[in-house]
Amino acid sequence: MRGRRFASQQDIERHVANGFGAGAGVSYVPWLRVQDVPSRGRSHKIQGVKVDRTHHLFSDLERFYFLVCEFSEDVVDIREQYPLFPVERAQAIATAIGVRYPRYPKTTLPYVMTTDFLLTVREPDGNFKSVARTVKYRSDLVGKGSKRTLEKLDVEKRFWNSQGVDWRIITDEFFTPDLIKNLGLLRKYSKLHRDLMKVPLHIKFIECLESSREYPWTLATCLRKIANHLSISYIDAQGIFFHLIWTKALKVDLVSTPLFLTAPVPTFEVFKIPVQASMKENLS
C-alpha cells in the first residue's frame, strides 16, 4: 500500500476527512502508518490481540512497549501515532516557549506532531482516563544532537498537560531483555483453540502444576507429566501454561526470569482462579 502525501494543507484536510487519527478501539486509524514513513528503520505492523486491528509501530522500542500495554489488564485501548490536533494549539505552545515548530520537508506546511501512544486505562475505582506516552531511547535524550528532540518533546508535554492528560516518556531502561522475550512468547498464547479454553481443564492443570512444586523438574518435564495426566498433548500443555500466565491466572516474575522449557519450573503464584473469571464473564 502506497504512502500518503503531506505537501499542502489540502492533503492534511483530506487525510482528516478520511478518518486518519480518529476513532477508538478497532475503528481507530493511526495518523501515520508504516508505509507513510518508509525511512523510519525497524518498523512493525502487528495484528492486535487486545484491540483487533493492525497496529503501526515505528521502532523496536515501540513494539516492546506495545507488548507491555497488551499484557496490562489496566490498558483497555491502544491508539498509536496519535495526532496533536488542532495543529494551531501545538504551534501556539511552541511560539510561547520559543521553540521552532517543525514543518514537512521542502515545504512551509506545519507538521502534524504525534504522540507514540494514547492509552485508555482503567483506574482502581473503575473509571477510565486517557494517558499519553512517548517512547524514546535514553541515548536520544542526552548529549550532542538531543536539543531539538527535547524541544519537540516539551511542546508535546505541554500540549497534553494543557488538556489534563498525563504525559510521560518511556525509555529503554523501562525494559529488561527477559521481559521482552517473555512477553513476545506469551503473546502467542493469548488465544487458544476452543477445546483448550475450558475452565475445568484449566483448574485441573493448575492443580497438577501445584502438586509438582516439590519436584526438581524442568518446565518441559513438568508439562509432559501434566499432559500425560490430563490426556492432552505436550504442545497443548505448553499452550495452556503460557496462556494462564498471559491471562494472569498464574503470576510469574517476567522481568528477571526467562521462560525456558529447559530451565526449572519458574516460581509461580496462583493469582486468579479461572472459574471466577468465567463466572464474571457470564454475569456481564
Side-chain angles (χ1 to χ4, degrees), residues 35-56:
Q35 59 266 34
D36 296 326
V37 197
S39 62
R40 289 296 289 267
R42 289 183 59 86
S43 56
H44 305 268
K45 292 168 69 172
I46 302 177
Q47 186 63 29
V49 297
K50 172 166 284 185
V51 182
D52 189 17
R53 66 171 179 82
T54 302
H55 294 263
H56 292 253

Side-chain angles (χ1 to χ4, degrees), residues 1 20 28-36 43-47 53-59 62-63 66 79-82 116-117:
M1 190 180 294
F20 288 95
Y28 174 70
V29 182
W31 177 251
L32 293 176
R33 304 165 302 171
V34 166
Q35 59 266 34
D36 296 326
S43 56
H44 305 268
K45 292 168 69 172
I46 302 177
Q47 186 63 29
R53 66 171 179 82
T54 302
H55 294 263
H56 292 253
L57 311 170
F58 289 159
S59 68
E62 286 188 18
R63 173 183 169 270
F66 175 74
R79 287 177 283 180
E80 74 280 10
Q81 320 311 334
Y82 195 87
D116 295 332
F117 295 95

Side-chain angles (χ1 to χ4, degrees), residues 3 19 29 82 92 94 117 143 148 166 176 187 190 197 214 216 221 228 244 273 276:
V29 182
Y82 195 87
F117 295 95
R148 182 59 177 156
D166 178 67
T176 66
R187 188 180 185 275
S190 60
M197 293 293 286
E214 59 185 290
T221 299
N228 290 335
L244 290 174
I273 305 300
Q276 292 177 338

